[in-house]
Amino acid sequence: MKSSINKPFLLTLLSVFSLVLIQSCKPKGTSSAAEGDASKTYVAPGKYDEFYNFVSGGFSGQMSVYGIPSGRLFRVIPVFSVDPEKGWGYSEETKPMLNTSHGFVPWDDLHHIALSRTNGNHDGRWAFGNANNTPRIARIDLKTFKTAEILEIPNSGGNHSSPFITENSEYVVAGTRFSIPMDNVNGDVPINTYKQNFRGTVSFISINKDNGGMNLAFQIQTPGVNYDLARAGKGVSHDWMFFSCYNTERANTLLEVNASKFDKDFIMCVNWKKAEEYAAAGKGEKRSVKYAHNTYDEATHSATSKMENEVIVLDPKNCPDMVYYMPCPKSPHGCDTDPTGEYIVGSGKLAAVIPVFSFTKIQKAIADKNFDGDYEGIPVLKYEAVLHGEVQKPGLGPLHTEFDDKGNAYTSFFVSSEIVKWSVKDLKVLDRVPTYYSVGHLSVPGGPTNKPWGKYVIAYNKITKDRYLPTGPELTQSAQLYSIDGDKMKLLLDFPTIGEPHYAEAIPANLIMKNSTKIYKIEENKHPYAALGEPKTKVERKGNEVHVYMTAIRSHLTPDNIEGVKVGDVVYFHVTNLEQDWDVPHGFAVKGANNGELLIMPGETQTLMWKPERTGIFPFYCTDFCSALHQEMQGYIRISPAGSNVPLTFSTGTNLPADEKKPETK
């Protein structure tokens, strides 16, 4: 009798059973888990951590900053998601930062970060983050720890393979995760015509070396596969970028089965210097597309959004010697280059080995045309011709590799929940430690640079059951800190993270602290609605708009009594923080506002827009504790009926209670 269970269902069932079996073998509680040595992570009160650790927030859409080795959370930097704590995406000044060609998008999925580099090493100027859902790249200014720029990526259905950065911050790259029909063609095609109509792209975004400004320099159109991660070359491989890719089967349904058929997928090798030359020589096609470019001006404390409408697209068929594929087993995720730039490590999620490729051999194979055919017109290098060697039986589910300063590599294994240390030179496994539990990415301070600082490896875990106090069905994600000073890795510390941690980079604190912005100088505030001192405060009516030029200082708001506003008016509270003392922000909120609050840094101006919908007296107040008289830092705005003739008035300290007013003398 023929079985009624189809093959895809059976494979899925077996996969689930295997994962359940592996999970059941894991420690059942903290008593059976490895204990850390937290004494080595202790940072005394008033002392600073050695490293800043910038961690992507995954589905939170934000970037977080932790201290290493303490594991203390310092700050959550709002990037792609609105943040009511800081007013990000709620204030009129920051709303344009979340504009896209699809309109205002208040959320995204920030998977990876990259720190700017000079001569291959971290320089402490900027951090970059990717939006995986609505494709975008953000730049964070590490002087202010604020998002300074967001650039949307056209011709992309997802932006996972980003924002990996070249050795001297010439470019950040953005590879599409989901191949789609290009933006300049009719995309209304049957999904099952994937092979005929879907294409991928990798985008090269140039970085201004002086101010960090981003520009979409060019894109390379590729076959319709899924690009996962990427790394730039270093040293001898400086001019190249390497992208891992999967779904070379070009499946459009049930990818867990249909995109796992081939024994090998690819790592794509791109000579970006040659691509740059082709673009400059006019070899690219200018295509009409639409994408947003958003920038934040620190002088005006305001963002602007500009819609771009053109991109240069290079086709490898017309640009020889620019793009090559090399086979990589199987469904690769990680794609990492060692500090010398000679070795490229692939991490196939379903592979039993870790392949290590040689850049020297790649160049020889290209010169000798040692190809194994082509894939959609792109030459495929022979696996054996480019292979340095394979790490044998390293673990189950390799994902991502980082490097130390002693010639060692550290690879995370999601299925077997461990970090494995191995020698890049002879490909021998040297050590392994368990993680608790399902590790994804990991980070060595300076690991992606030419000269790693080493000392620690940090695991970022997707699942951490039994490690912390339970909080319902949703448990915290976590990071785990291991010492790599000696021959053996040693667990030091667990610490929770905001969800969901993906990749991170750690940088010595002194590279950032020396340039940190403490205040905005009030005399340099160029905001068009700034009130540079209490005598400059006022309330003006412009049709149905009421503009309140307000100041905040310990411990009052000016003005704090406002009358003559009507239902149907739109009120703009432009609040300037007059403080010039470090770390004295003020907040602002008004009853009934349905957007959020403001958080205003010393010397800064921010705007809350409010549409009163009913008559009455509405309190407003400072939301950020600022002094012993913080509770007294409040005021009232009176809303009268539409058509009312109540005059527009404002004051602070003079609108005394009626029974206390002195009678007027004639």
Side-chain angles (χ1 to χ4, degrees):
M1 181 176 178
K2 189 175 181 180
S3 172
S4 61
I5 300 177
N6 62 36
K7 186 177 179 181
F9 176 80
L10 183 59
L11 288 172
T12 302
L13 189 63
L14 288 172
S15 299
V16 172
F17 176 78
S18 299
L19 287 174
V20 170
L21 181 63
I22 290 165
Q23 291 290 340
S24 69
C25 295
K26 292 177 180 175
K28 294 297 189 290
T30 54
S31 62
S32 60
E35 294 183 357
D37 185 0
S39 64
K40 293 185 178 180
T41 70
Y42 177 69
V43 178
K47 300 296 183 181
Y48 291 145
D49 276 275
E50 185 178 358
F51 294 97
Y52 284 103
N53 188 30
F54 293 87
V55 185
S56 60
F59 49 69
S60 75
Q62 315 296 38
M63 187 181 295
S64 53
V65 186
Y66 294 83
I68 297 297
S70 73
R72 299 177 294 191
L73 175 62
F74 294 149
R75 184 167 178 81
V76 176
I77 302 173
V79 184
F80 297 115
S81 295
V82 294
D83 185 343
E85 179 192 16
K86 304 170 187 70
W88 182 257
Y90 293 107
S91 72
E92 295 304 296
E93 288 81 0
T94 59
K95 284 180 181 178
M97 293 299 286
L98 301 182
N99 188 41
T100 75
S101 63
H102 305 276
F104 183 79
V105 177
W107 167 86
D108 220 296
D109 187 9
L110 199 163
H111 270 224
H112 308 119
I113 63 102
L115 301 181
S116 58
R117 300 178 206 166
T118 299
N119 297 325
N121 297 310
H122 289 149
D123 56 29
R125 294 190 293 170
W126 309 299
F128 299 86
N130 71 322
N132 188 35
N133 184 61
T134 303
R136 287 170 283 176
I137 297 292
R139 177 175 59 87
I140 291 84
D141 188 336
L142 295 185
K143 287 184 178 180
T144 60
F145 284 68
K146 282 188 174 182
T147 302
E149 189 173 11
I150 294 179
L151 179 68
E152 188 179 4
I153 310 299
N155 292 326
S156 177
N159 184 35
H160 191 265
S161 184
S162 62
F164 301 102
I165 194 165
T166 56
E167 204 171 18
N168 272 301
S169 303
E170 297 95 340
Y171 295 97
V172 293
V173 299
T176 185
R177 174 181 176 184
F178 310 109
S179 291
I180 56 170
M182 296 293 95
D183 288 352
N184 65 317
V185 300
N186 178 17
D188 182 20
V189 296
I191 296 174
N192 65 6
T193 63
Y194 186 109
K195 293 183 180 180
Q196 293 76 31
N197 292 309
F198 289 44
R199 297 291 180 269
T201 57
V202 291
S203 303
F204 283 76
I205 300 157
S206 62
I207 305 168
N208 185 293
K209 64 180 181 179
D210 297 320
N211 59 28
M214 298 189 296
N215 177 62
L216 181 50
F218 57 87
Q219 295 182 315
I220 299 174
Q221 182 171 297
T222 70
V225 298
N226 297 46
Y227 291 94
D228 201 339
L229 294 177
R231 280 294 188 202
K234 307 181 183 83
V236 293
S237 57
H238 170 83
D239 297 350
W240 291 74
M241 180 72 70
F242 305 95
F243 299 82
S244 63
C245 56
Y246 63 101
N247 193 24
T248 52
E249 298 86 349
R250 290 179 291 175
N252 60 272
T253 184
L254 198 63
L255 265 64
E256 64 174 308
V257 174
N258 295 323
S260 302
K261 293 179 179 179
F262 295 164
D263 289 334
K264 291 182 176 68
D265 289 278
F266 295 131
I267 287 176
M268 184 172 72
C269 311
V270 175
N271 186 331
W272 61 261
K273 271 288 188 182
K274 193 169 287 292
E276 186 179 66
E277 293 169 3
Y278 279 131
K283 296 294 185 180
E285 176 189 354
K286 291 183 178 180
R287 294 185 182 175
S288 178
V289 293
K290 185 179 180 183
Y291 61 100
H293 190 178
N294 311 326
T295 55
Y296 190 85
D297 187 328
E298 288 295 344
T300 64
H301 310 148
S302 302
T304 56
S305 179
K306 178 184 178 183
M307 205 60 66
E308 306 284 357
N309 54 29
E310 189 176 77
V311 65
I312 295 173
V313 179
L314 300 172
D315 188 335
K317 295 177 182 178
N318 303 323
C319 302
D321 304 322
M322 182 177 70
V323 179
Y324 299 88
Y325 282 128
M326 59 184 181
C328 182
K330 173 180 184 182
S331 296
H333 180 68
C335 174
D336 300 283
T337 56
D338 85 313
T340 69
E342 170 61 23
Y343 300 111
I344 300 96
V345 180
S347 296
K349 301 188 293 290
L350 304 178
V353 298
I354 298 177
V356 182
F357 303 95
S358 163
F359 181 74
T360 300
K361 290 185 175 182
I362 292 170
Q363 295 307 294
K364 186 176 188 307
I366 291 172
D368 295 344
K369 299 189 182 301
N370 199 349
F371 303 146
D372 191 8
D374 68 83
Y375 184 86
E376 291 289 301
I378 295 177
V380 177
L381 304 171
K382 283 189 176 179
Y383 182 68
E384 295 77 11
V386 296
L387 188 69
H388 166 60
E390 297 174 339
V391 182
Q392 298 294 320
K393 298 180 180 180
L396 299 176
L399 291 185
H400 181 63
T401 301
E402 292 270 297
F403 305 90
D404 66 15
D405 55 341
K406 302 177 182 69
N408 301 313
Y410 301 79
T411 300
S412 58
F413 289 81
F414 178 80
V415 178
S416 53
S417 293
E418 60 185 335
I419 300 173
V420 174
K421 175 182 177 181
W422 51 277
S423 168
V424 176
K425 181 179 180 181
D426 59 21
L427 308 178
K428 300 295 185 183
V429 172
L430 304 174
D431 189 25
R432 61 180 71 236
V433 291
T435 59
Y436 302 93
Y437 299 107
S438 297
V439 60
H441 283 278
L442 46 74
S443 173
V444 172
T449 71
N450 294 8
K451 296 179 181 179
W453 288 283
K455 195 167 185 177
Y456 304 109
V457 62
I458 310 159
Y460 301 94
N461 300 332
K462 313 295 188 185
I463 300 170
T464 58
K465 63 181 181 180
D466 304 334
R467 298 302 281 181
Y468 303 98
L469 293 171
T471 52
E474 172 70 9
L475 301 180
T476 183
Q477 290 86 24
S478 78
Q480 293 189 292
L481 180 72
Y482 298 80
S483 168
I484 58 173
D485 276 344
D487 292 335
K488 299 294 183 181
M489 295 178 282
K490 186 175 182 180
L491 176 63
L492 300 179
L493 182 70
D494 293 0
F495 56 95
T497 67
I498 67 168
E500 170 195 0
H502 285 264
Y503 185 55
E505 288 190 24
I507 183 172
N510 60 10
L511 287 179
I512 294 178
M513 288 177 59
K514 61 185 179 182
N515 294 318
S516 180
T517 296
K518 292 180 171 62
I519 60 172
Y520 296 105
K521 294 180 181 180
I522 194 72
E523 65 271 19
E524 295 177 1
N525 186 330
K526 304 301 181 185
H527 193 289
Y529 290 96
L532 304 183
E534 291 186 3
K536 302 292 186 180
T537 59
K538 57 185 176 179
V539 179
E540 291 183 340
R541 176 177 289 281
K542 297 179 180 179
N544 72 327
E545 293 182 358
V546 175
H547 292 266
V548 180
Y549 295 69
M550 181 178 284
T551 60
I553 196 167
R554 289 166 286 182
S555 297
H556 62 274
L557 297 162
T558 302
D560 65 4
N561 280 208
I562 303 170
E563 301 186 43
V565 180
K566 309 168 191 177
V567 172
D569 285 341
V570 180
V571 184
Y572 293 90
F573 293 96
H574 309 288
V575 186
T576 301
N577 183 347
L578 296 180
E579 307 284 355
Q580 291 289 271
D581 190 7
W582 191 19
D583 196 28
V584 187
H586 288 296
F588 180 83
V590 60
K591 177 185 175 182
N594 59 7
N595 43 11
E597 61 141 11
L598 298 178
L599 187 64
I600 313 116
M601 296 299 111
E604 187 181 39
T605 302
Q606 290 288 285
T607 301
L608 183 72
M609 184 268 288
W610 177 50
K611 296 179 181 180
E613 296 180 350
R614 65 181 74 168
T615 61
I617 303 296
F618 294 82
F620 53 79
Y621 68 104
C622 174
T623 56
D624 192 293
F625 196 94
C626 55
S627 71
L629 296 177
H630 167 73
Q631 289 293 97
E632 285 75 13
M633 195 168 175
Q634 64 181 55
Y636 297 100
I637 183 169
R638 173 185 172 188
I639 305 300
S640 300
S644 167
N645 59 3
V646 176
L648 187 65
T649 60
F650 60 95
S651 62
T652 301
T654 59
N655 189 28
L656 300 175
D659 58 358
E660 293 183 14
K661 289 182 178 179
K662 295 180 181 179
E664 294 183 5
T665 57
K666 295 184 179 179

